[in-house]
Amino acid sequence: LRVLYELRRLQPQPSIEHLALGGTIQGDAYSLAPTMAELVLRGIGWNAIFLGSSLPIPSLIKAIHENRPSLFWLSVSYVDPSVDFISEFGELSKICTDSGVALAVGGRALTEDLRRQMVYSAYCDTMQQLESFAKTLISHPARGAASRKPSASR
């Protein structure tokens, strides 16, 4: 993480035109992947801000309402079995859809079964996929804004 923070410090100041926010859900303390996502997005011109790890979904929703990003990324490395993840994620997804915010998700805890129950703009297995998706949003802003249900082939 120290190396990633040093790399972030060395990156040029991103454009304020393209705001991206991201984080992890409550109980998910993993910060390496979402920090890498922030760097990848900043590297292609996004003003990407990693909000932090283990944040309650209502806090993520509040950040979306207050900041109106074009892109929100959610890294999910752990899902607390005592939490109704699908229901809580559904609230986040609805806010993104209603606000025109593209929602990119990724992480090792997002099994195929979970993903079938989720609505999002993009599922990214790799940072390259996140980068490609984010580039399309800069080129064609309206393309990723409407979240969609993933197809069965995903």
Side-chain angles (χ1 to χ4, degrees):
L1 274 176
R2 265 197 253 172
V3 170
L4 293 177
Y5 287 127
E6 184 63 22
L7 286 172
R8 185 185 191 277
R9 191 180 68 77
L10 296 173
Q11 284 182 318
Q13 185 64 26
S15 162
I16 59 168
E17 184 179 352
H18 304 290
L19 177 62
L21 300 177
T24 71
I25 58 174
Q26 191 164 350
D28 185 350
Y30 190 55
S31 60
L32 188 59
T35 300
M36 289 172 57
E38 178 186 47
L39 288 174
V40 165
L41 293 170
R42 287 174 60 88
I44 60 169
W46 284 86
N47 180 15
I49 302 168
F50 172 44
L51 299 172
S53 297
S54 195
L55 299 173
I57 286 187
S59 295
L60 299 175
I61 290 170
K62 183 178 180 185
I64 291 167
H65 276 301
E66 290 178 357
N67 297 287
R68 299 289 183 200
S70 299
L71 171 63
F72 189 87
W73 81 91
L74 185 69
S75 177
V76 186
S77 297
Y78 171 78
V79 175
D80 184 339
S82 68
V83 173
D84 184 359
F85 171 74
I86 294 301
S87 176
E88 288 192 10
F89 177 83
E91 293 175 31
L92 177 70
S93 177
K94 182 174 179 352
I95 293 301
C96 287
T97 299
D98 292 349
S99 303
V101 176
L103 176 58
V105 299
R108 65 180 176 243
L110 294 181
T111 63
E112 192 173 328
D113 182 54
L114 274 180
R115 290 194 316 265
R116 276 193 212 111
Q117 301 173 63
M118 297 166 60
V119 176
Y120 48 81
S121 303
Y123 171 74
C124 303
D125 275 320
T126 66
M127 292 298 161
Q128 291 91 348
Q129 290 171 345
L130 176 63
E131 179 180 21
S132 294
F133 176 65
K135 282 180 179 178
T136 66
L137 295 176
I138 290 174
S139 301
H140 307 283
R143 282 195 182 168
S147 296
R148 59 185 165 77
K149 192 147 186 108
S151 66
S153 63
R154 286 192 179 187

